[in-house]
């Protein structure tokens, strides 16, 4: 057996978060833990006459201090988020890129919308003034891989690098892809995703989904699993994680936050929420099998929470089929209801939150929600103390992707692994 094949499960050693609920784990976790509502009226542009007026914006973020000025002008806001989150993750992991052989340190990100704001600005220049006024960076700033490229270049990383454009479930798939690279010989990976989908062009594209909430009240704009569910509030932001080979992390004395134990993915077809119950079920079962676990081992579930009545019903059905008689006793939650759904970054933010939940022994609440129309133990109001050993994270895309990820407490016995 090759040395790469004998490597242990990937572990999370660093978290970097740029979200509507806060910049950095120090701001983000208390806000999520306490059920803080970070949704607000859109302020980055005049939302009228668009029907969607409430979103999760990252207030107070400016690239200065996070991104070199020469890079700022070449890149879109979503890349600024990724660069800042990567810097925070490396600091949290106490890992300087120079301490790792550059060909053994890679980057894997997920993207849904790319650099839409930068693209709109350059298209406006084209139509108003002509092609000679379109900047040279238009060719790269909008590109889905811009985050992976800039994070790699900025940190001198020459290891495996890629981007997954795999709908909203791509955030979990990116972690699985990073695990594959670690098994093939990489020592560490920066993994995550970022989105900045707030400009008129981007909003028009999102309206075509037919899934966005049109509520003008931030307190009721995102109400998953309730009778009032009427779509989700979109959001910007993202997260990056340092994921390392467990052996390498142990040798350098890293503080391991969680074990990435298993992943599963399925495809059930565009907008086929009637089929997504089986898709989520099979993805979750595959993830648990890869982790060497059973549904009885699941201590909490972080929900996809699309806030579409059919999609919510399908997710509840998937949990009923997966957990059986425990379905109404296992705590489930959707913290993103407080800050919005960040597309490909949504699942990565859920993973970051789940890692923090494992660390603190708390399942954060679903903000703004006080009831649940399904027979599920939805955590609402305040965070719930739970002896967390195994957490399941679910993610789903409107174009048919379903993914599940199993995270384990670092002190839990591991019988499997990606």
């Amino acid at each position: 057996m090759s040395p790469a094949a004998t490597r242990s499960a990937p572990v999370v050693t660093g978290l970097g978060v740029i979200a509507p609920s806060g910049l950095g784990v120090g701001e983000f976790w208390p806000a999520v833990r306490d059920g803080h509502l970070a949704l607000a009226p859109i302020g980055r542009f005049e939302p009228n006459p668009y029907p969607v007026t409430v979103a999760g914006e990252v207030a107070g973020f400016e690239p200065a201090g996070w991104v070199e000025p020469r890079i700022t002008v070449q890149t879109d806001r979503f890349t600024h988020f990724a660069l800042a989150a990567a810097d925070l993750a490396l600091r949290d992991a106490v890992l300087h890129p120079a301490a790792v052989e550059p060909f053994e340190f890679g980057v894997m990100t997920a993207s849904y919308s790319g650099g839409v704001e930068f693209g709109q600005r350059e298209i406006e220049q084209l139509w108003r003034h002509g092609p000679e006024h379109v900047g040279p960076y238009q060719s790269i700033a909008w590109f889905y891989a811009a985050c992976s490229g800039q994070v790699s270049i900025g940190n001198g990383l020459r290891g495996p690098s890629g981007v997954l454009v795999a709908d909203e479930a791509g955030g979990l798939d990116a972690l699985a892809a990073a695990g594959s690279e670690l098994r093939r010989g990489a020592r560490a990976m920066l993994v995550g995703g970022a989105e900045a989908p707030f400009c008129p062009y981007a909003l028009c594209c999102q309206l075509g989904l037919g899934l966005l909430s049109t509520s003008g009240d931030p307190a009721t704009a995102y109400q998953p699993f309730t009778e009032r569910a009427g779509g989700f509030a979109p959001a910007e932001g993202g997260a990056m994680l340092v994921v390392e080979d467990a052996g390498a992390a142990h040798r350098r004395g890293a503080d391991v936050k969680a074990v990435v134990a298993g992943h599963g993915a399925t495809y059930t077809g565009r907008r086929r929420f009637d089929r997504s119950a089986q898709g989520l079920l099979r993805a979750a079962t595959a993830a648990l099998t890869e982790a060497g676990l059973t549904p009885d081992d699941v201590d909490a579930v972080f929900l996809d929470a699309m806030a579409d009545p059919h999609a919510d019903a399908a997710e509840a059905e998937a949990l009923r089929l997966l957990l059986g008689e425990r379905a109404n006793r296992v705590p489930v939650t959707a913290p993103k209801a407080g800050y919005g759904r960040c597309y490909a970054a949504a699942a990565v933010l859920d993973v970051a939150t789940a890692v923090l939940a494992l660390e603190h022994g708390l399942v954060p609440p679903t903000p703004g929600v006080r009831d649940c129309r399904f027979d599920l133990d939805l955590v609402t109001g305040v965070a719930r103390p739970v002896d967390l050993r195994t957490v399941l994270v679910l993610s789903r895309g409107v174009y048919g992707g379903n993914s599940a990820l199993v995270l384990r407490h670092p002190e839990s016995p591991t019988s499997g692994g990606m």
Side-chain angles (χ1 to χ4, degrees):
M1 185 176 293
S2 68
T6 63
R7 293 197 172 202
S8 50
V11 295
V12 178
T13 58
L15 299 176
V17 175
I18 301 292
S21 294
L23 307 182
V25 168
E27 292 182 4
F28 177 75
W29 172 244
V32 171
R33 177 198 63 202
D34 298 340
H36 173 69
L37 189 68
L39 298 175
I42 293 174
R44 287 191 58 76
F45 64 94
E46 173 53 56
N48 291 326
Y50 308 107
V52 175
T53 59
V54 170
E57 294 181 325
V58 181
F61 178 88
E62 296 293 338
W66 297 101
V67 185
E68 294 181 27
R70 66 181 182 84
I71 301 300
T72 299
V73 299
Q74 302 176 22
T75 49
D76 181 82
R77 185 172 171 87
F78 90 119
T79 303
H80 303 163
F81 289 156
L83 287 165
D87 184 53
L88 289 169
L90 289 167
R91 289 189 217 170
D92 189 46
V94 195
L95 180 61
H96 195 285
V100 181
E101 160 62 44
F103 289 101
E104 295 181 358
F105 201 155
V107 182
M108 191 68 64
T109 64
S111 180
Y112 180 90
S113 59
V116 285
E117 186 177 29
F118 194 107
Q120 172 170 322
R121 187 167 63 245
E122 296 303 305
I123 290 172
E124 288 174 350
Q125 289 289 94
L126 171 67
W127 285 103
R128 289 175 179 172
H129 306 294
E132 65 274 11
H133 292 272
V134 176
Y137 301 117
Q138 164 67 356
S139 61
I140 58 171
W142 71 270
F143 193 40
Y144 303 111
C147 293
S148 290
Q150 293 292 347
V151 170
S152 296
I153 295 168
N155 291 283
L157 309 181
R158 300 182 182 181
S161 179
V163 61
L164 292 178
V165 185
D167 208 347
E168 292 160 280
L172 299 187
D173 297 342
L175 279 155
S180 296
E181 298 298 346
L182 291 171
R183 286 195 300 274
R184 282 195 283 265
R187 176 180 151 185
M189 298 286 293
L190 273 164
V191 193
E195 302 281 1
F198 293 142
C199 63
Y201 165 70
L203 185 57
C204 286
C205 293
Q206 294 168 71
L207 291 174
L209 301 174
L211 293 169
L212 271 63
S213 171
T214 57
S215 171
D217 182 358
T220 61
Y222 195 175
Q223 299 268 287
F225 300 97
T226 70
E227 295 287 353
R228 301 172 300 284
F232 62 83
E236 64 178 359
M240 296 292 289
L241 287 67
V242 174
V243 180
E244 299 184 61
D245 169 73
H250 176 73
R251 286 191 295 275
R252 75 176 186 88
D255 177 20
V256 174
K257 301 175 184 298
V259 178
V260 184
H263 170 264
T266 61
Y267 177 76
T268 47
R270 182 180 185 273
R271 297 292 300 273
R272 294 303 303 267
F273 298 134
D274 55 329
R275 297 182 182 177
S276 65
Q278 284 297 322
L280 279 173
L281 173 63
R282 290 178 68 89
T285 301
L288 288 166
T289 299
E290 186 171 69
L293 303 171
T294 72
D296 288 341
D297 293 306
V298 176
D299 298 314
V301 181
F302 281 71
L303 300 166
D304 176 64
M306 200 170 286
D308 171 86
H310 300 293
D312 288 353
E315 189 167 15
E317 174 69 3
L319 290 175
R320 187 188 69 79
L321 294 171
L322 178 71
L323 300 173
E325 62 180 16
R326 297 178 65 236
N328 62 355
R329 301 198 306 273
V330 174
V332 301
T333 187
K336 62 170 71 77
Y339 57 79
R341 191 178 177 95
C342 302
Y343 297 101
V348 188
L349 283 165
D350 277 341
V351 170
T353 309
V355 170
L356 291 164
L358 284 165
E359 182 179 352
H360 294 277
L362 289 172
V363 178
T366 305
V369 173
R370 294 291 179 267
D371 58 274
C372 179
R373 61 183 285 245
F374 305 100
D375 191 18
L376 298 173
D377 186 12
L378 185 67
V379 179
T380 62
V382 297
R384 183 184 303 177
V386 179
D387 182 16
L388 293 174
R389 296 293 153 183
T390 302
V391 173
L392 176 66
V393 181
L394 300 177
S395 185
R396 191 171 35 175
V398 297
Y399 293 98
N402 313 283
S403 289
L405 193 79
V406 174
L407 296 169
R408 295 275 279 166
H409 192 282
E411 297 179 1
S412 298
T414 54
S415 54
M418 295 170 58

